[in-house]
Amino acid sequence: MTRTEVRRHSLALESCLFAGRLFAKWRRHPGVPVQALLFPTVLLITYNLLVGKSMAMMTGTDNLDALVPMCAVAGGMFGAIGAAIAIPNERSGGLLTRFWTLPVHRASALTGRLLAEATRTLVGSAVVTAVGVALGLRFTGGWLAVVPYLLVPVFIAVAFATFVTALALRSEGTALFMWLGTSSIGLVFASPGLAPVEMFPGWLRPFVEHQPMASVIETMRGLSTGELTAAPALVTAGWVVAIMAVFLPLAVRGYRAAARGE
């Protein structure tokens, strides 16, 4: 076959094919779906049943409009960590090198991974939101807000997956993922999704108010209540843009180096 006879597909199609590979892998080894779907759903149901009534008695609200966003974003984050655990093995086993030698766009393996993360997070957020609605969450600002409501965790998960992938491509063991998991748990349980900010100890409130999940939760809460303001949405967008601007080039360079065995 001559060079002119080799016809490449579009980057979008090749990204879908690489994303499909991950979906098939997750079906055979469902650790990632469990982390992305089961954990946040169980957390939402358990916390609401055990603490919701007490929270309503103390604050006048069950905090469900913040708890659901927290669980949706947490599912995306933990799913990204679970998916990235396989990257060091794929690098050491030569799989990334084989991808690099295929007649496909160089970026398709990485964009396929991010596409898979986005799709998984969208499905997970829809499941968590549906459970939240069953528990009492209402979109008082109108049901049209559901679409951007579900997309916010997707953007966050893609940015976080880019960050995790950039680190995983340079990782030599599991210590990194233990650190990432512990840090993510800390962000989840020290966020306005767990309880109103004023209920946290005074020394912890500045962190709870300004950590990355705070603006995300406030943005999603505003969408569900119809009281969205520009400030949290802009801060959320700023976090996504900043993370992607810093770590996407690092992920691209890390993938290139890993594929070349450097």
Side-chain angles (χ1 to χ4, degrees), residues 33-45 67 70-76 78 124 128:
V34 166
Q35 287 180 287
L37 294 175
L38 186 60
F39 169 74
T41 303
V42 171
L43 175 63
L44 171 61
I45 295 173
L67 180 62
M70 182 193 77
C71 292
V73 175
F78 288 115
V128 170

Side-chain angles (χ1 to χ4, degrees), residues 10 32 36 43 78 87 109 143 186 246 250:
S10 68
V32 172
L43 175 63
F78 288 115
I87 292 179
W143 285 101
V246 173
L250 293 177

Side-chain angles (χ1 to χ4, degrees), residues 35 76-86 117 120 160 164 177 180-181 184:
Q35 287 180 287
M77 294 171 62
F78 288 115
I81 295 172
I85 291 176
E117 294 287 350
R120 176 185 49 73
F160 187 75
V164 173
F177 303 103
L180 287 172
S184 298

Side-chain angles (χ1 to χ4, degrees), residues 9-16 105 107-108 111:
H9 298 291
S10 68
L11 175 61
L13 178 58
E14 291 171 359
S15 298
C16 290
H105 292 78
S108 57
T111 54

Side-chain angles (χ1 to χ4, degrees), residues 149-202:
Y149 185 92
L150 295 178
L151 289 178
V152 172
V154 173
F155 292 130
I156 296 299
V158 169
F160 187 75
T162 303
F163 162 69
V164 173
T165 300
L167 296 182
L169 285 166
R170 296 291 185 179
S171 174
E172 299 295 339
T174 60
L176 168 68
F177 303 103
M178 294 178 61
W179 178 82
L180 287 172
T182 301
S183 301
S184 298
I185 290 174
L187 289 176
V188 169
F189 287 98
S191 74
L194 193 69
V197 175
E198 57 271 15
M199 295 188 66
F200 287 89

Side-chain angles (χ1 to χ4, degrees), residues 209-243:
E209 287 181 299
H210 300 292
Q211 62 124 314
M213 286 189 68
S215 62
V216 179
I217 291 170
E218 189 59 34
T219 299
M220 294 179 70
R221 189 212 300 263
L223 287 168
S224 65
T225 61
E227 300 174 353
L228 178 64
T229 58
L234 290 175
V235 172
T236 299
W239 275 112
V240 172
V241 171
I243 293 172

